[in-house]
Amino acid sequence: MRIGLGYDVHKLVENRDLILGGLIVPHEYGLLGHSDADVLVHAIMDSILGAACLGDIGRHFPDNNATYKNISSLELLSKVLELITQKGFIVGNIDATIIAQKPKLSPYIDKMRSNISKTLNIDIDKINIKATTEEGLGFTGNEEGIASQSICLLFNNK
């Protein structure tokens, strides 16, 4: 049994879709990044990679590689699944938090959970996603960016 922690943050900008958990969330701003900048999935990937001692997403999907330009983070998550499967791991569960002042995310969380569970080929009851604000404090509270944290439990399948 192994535990991994993940964290990601991206700046909010105009003229980009806001993608969280593989879902376009209606909002006037989107997240800036090389890929689709899905902070939730990025944090989840880092927690999985960390639990498997495989580094982080920058090691596997560098932002200077054109292959990953505007790629769906769910595609990258499926590649992370391949990496951990090769090492004999399976995902036990994931608990993640999105930190954003706006928009209100509760209407979208079940679809995000579904997208992630399908990509990882695990039961949706093994994916928990929460959303919180920082009560107007810091860069997320000032609506300059969105952050996400994730913790993952892996089991060795061998």
Side-chain angles (χ1 to χ4, degrees), residues 84-85 88-93 122 126 153-157:
I84 67 162
T85 300
F89 291 109
I90 58 171
V91 175
N93 75 299
I122 61 173
K126 294 183 177 186
L153 174 67
L154 293 184
F155 291 108
N156 194 315
N157 198 24

Side-chain angles (χ1 to χ4, degrees), residues 110-157:
D110 284 340
K111 181 60 179 164
M112 292 177 201
R113 290 175 63 224
S114 176
N115 289 344
I116 293 163
S117 71
K118 286 177 186 172
T119 302
L120 291 174
N121 196 29
I122 61 173
D123 191 88
I124 194 168
D125 289 337
K126 294 183 177 186
I127 307 290
N128 188 56
I129 299 171
K130 306 173 295 291
T132 189
T133 70
E134 289 192 306
E135 305 295 329
L137 299 173
F139 71 89
T140 59
N142 290 327
E143 300 177 48
E144 297 171 42
I146 294 178
S148 186
Q149 299 175 342
S150 174
I151 192 163
C152 170
L153 174 67
L154 293 184
F155 291 108
N156 194 315
N157 198 24

Side-chain angles (χ1 to χ4, degrees), residues 18 23 31-32 35-36 42 54 64 82 104 109-111 113 120 141 154-155:
L18 176 58
L23 179 69
L31 294 169
L32 180 63
S35 66
D36 63 6
H42 291 186
L54 289 171
N64 60 0
E82 290 174 20
K104 187 164 181 63
I109 286 179
D110 284 340
K111 181 60 179 164
R113 290 175 63 224
L120 291 174
L154 293 184
F155 291 108

Side-chain angles (χ1 to χ4, degrees), residues 4-11 38-50 55-58 95-100 134 138-140 145-152:
L5 180 66
Y7 174 81
D8 195 39
V9 60
H10 285 274
K11 180 179 181 176
D38 187 332
V39 292
L40 173 62
V41 175
H42 291 186
I44 289 171
M45 288 190 294
D46 267 347
S47 68
I48 294 169
L49 290 167
D56 62 15
I57 61 175
D95 185 25
T97 303
I98 305 166
I99 305 153
E134 289 192 306
F139 71 89
T140 59
I146 294 178
S148 186
Q149 299 175 342
S150 174
I151 192 163
C152 170

Side-chain angles (χ1 to χ4, degrees), residues 58-118:
R59 174 178 164 193
H60 296 278
F61 316 110
D63 65 4
N64 60 0
N65 185 328
T67 303
Y68 306 119
K69 180 75 174 156
N70 295 320
I71 193 170
S72 165
S73 292
L74 290 179
E75 274 188 64
L76 300 178
L77 182 60
S78 69
K79 293 178 187 300
V80 167
L81 178 61
E82 290 174 20
L83 290 170
I84 67 162
T85 300
Q86 290 170 5
K87 285 196 77 172
F89 291 109
I90 58 171
V91 175
N93 75 299
I94 292 169
D95 185 25
T97 303
I98 305 166
I99 305 153
Q101 195 65 32
K102 290 181 184 172
K104 187 164 181 63
L105 297 173
S106 58
Y108 308 103
I109 286 179
D110 284 340
K111 181 60 179 164
M112 292 177 201
R113 290 175 63 224
S114 176
N115 289 344
I116 293 163
S117 71
K118 286 177 186 172

